[in-house]
Amino acid sequence: MDAKQRELLQLIEKNGRLDISTISNLMNITQEETSQMLKKLEKENIILGYSAIINWAKDADEAAVTAMIDVKVTPKRGVGFDKVAERIYRFPEVKAVYLMSGVYDLSVSIEGKTMAEVAQFVSEKLSTIDSVISTTTHFVLKKYKHDGLVFSDQEEDKRMMVTP
């Protein structure tokens, strides 16, 4: 990957809504070069998609429960953890799966409408997979920062500092 491709990726990672003309101006290349570079990176599965980060806590009707689940598994011969991870990430509730170092092997992020729904997923779907030895579920109580963006309603204190 060359420096221009890396620069393009850094730009759209910070703001996926940038249009081609803005990107090409920022990178000092033509719109055609920008378009071709984007298509190439998408075709090579380097750019996997474009998404918005939503603060669902602002919409009481759509608020969801997020849980991080540590999973200890027995890896499968010849494929390691990959097949177990694939089986887990195919569930629609699962938002992310990571292979981890440490006590647990996989970290699974899921969303449900209620804690009971998350608990049901863990007990009926996740724990019943043959390779799963144990799980530990952690519920997200509040998001402060996600993907580099701060979730905050606090306005900056505009009062003048007074010193003695």
Side-chain angles (χ1 to χ4, degrees):
M1 183 176 311
D2 64 25
K4 282 294 186 188
Q5 289 175 328
R6 205 167 285 111
E7 181 182 1
L8 173 64
L9 291 173
Q10 289 168 345
L11 284 171
I12 64 170
E13 184 178 42
K14 288 181 184 161
N15 184 355
R17 294 185 67 185
L18 290 174
D19 60 26
I20 290 179
S21 65
T22 303
I23 295 169
S24 58
N25 287 338
L26 289 169
M27 293 181 59
N28 199 27
I29 59 176
T30 68
Q31 289 185 23
E32 181 62 30
E33 288 173 307
T34 303
S35 181
Q36 287 176 356
M37 199 181 308
L38 282 167
K39 286 177 186 168
K40 179 179 185 283
L41 292 168
E42 289 168 353
K43 185 178 179 185
E44 294 175 352
N45 285 331
I46 294 170
I47 298 173
L48 298 174
Y50 303 87
S51 64
I53 298 171
I54 311 296
N55 186 356
W56 288 110
K58 298 278 189 175
D59 183 359
D61 295 334
E62 288 295 323
V65 174
T66 303
M68 303 298 292
I69 306 165
D70 298 326
V71 184
K72 185 173 263 198
V73 300
T74 303
K76 298 280 187 185
R77 183 179 301 276
V79 292
F81 297 100
D82 295 345
K83 286 295 180 191
V84 180
E86 181 180 345
R87 183 150 180 219
I88 293 169
Y89 72 61
R90 290 189 180 276
F91 290 112
E93 301 91 338
V94 174
K95 299 300 175 192
V97 178
Y98 306 100
L99 179 61
M100 305 296 289
S101 64
V103 177
Y104 289 91
D105 304 307
L106 300 172
S107 180
V108 179
S109 174
I110 74 161
E111 283 186 2
K113 292 201 180 291
T114 63
M115 286 185 171
E117 188 177 292
V118 171
Q120 184 177 6
F121 169 81
V122 173
S123 64
E124 294 178 9
K125 294 180 180 177
L126 187 60
S127 296
T128 60
I129 296 172
D130 291 337
S131 298
V132 172
I133 298 169
S134 67
T135 64
T136 301
T137 304
H138 308 275
F139 289 97
V140 174
L141 303 177
K142 182 177 180 180
K143 284 185 185 177
Y144 293 102
K145 187 174 182 178
H146 180 79
D147 280 348
L149 295 174
V150 175
F151 287 61
S152 175
D153 288 336
Q154 296 178 1
E155 290 185 27
E156 183 180 328
D157 189 356
K158 297 185 192 261
R159 296 178 291 172
M160 185 185 303
M161 188 181 340
V162 179
T163 58

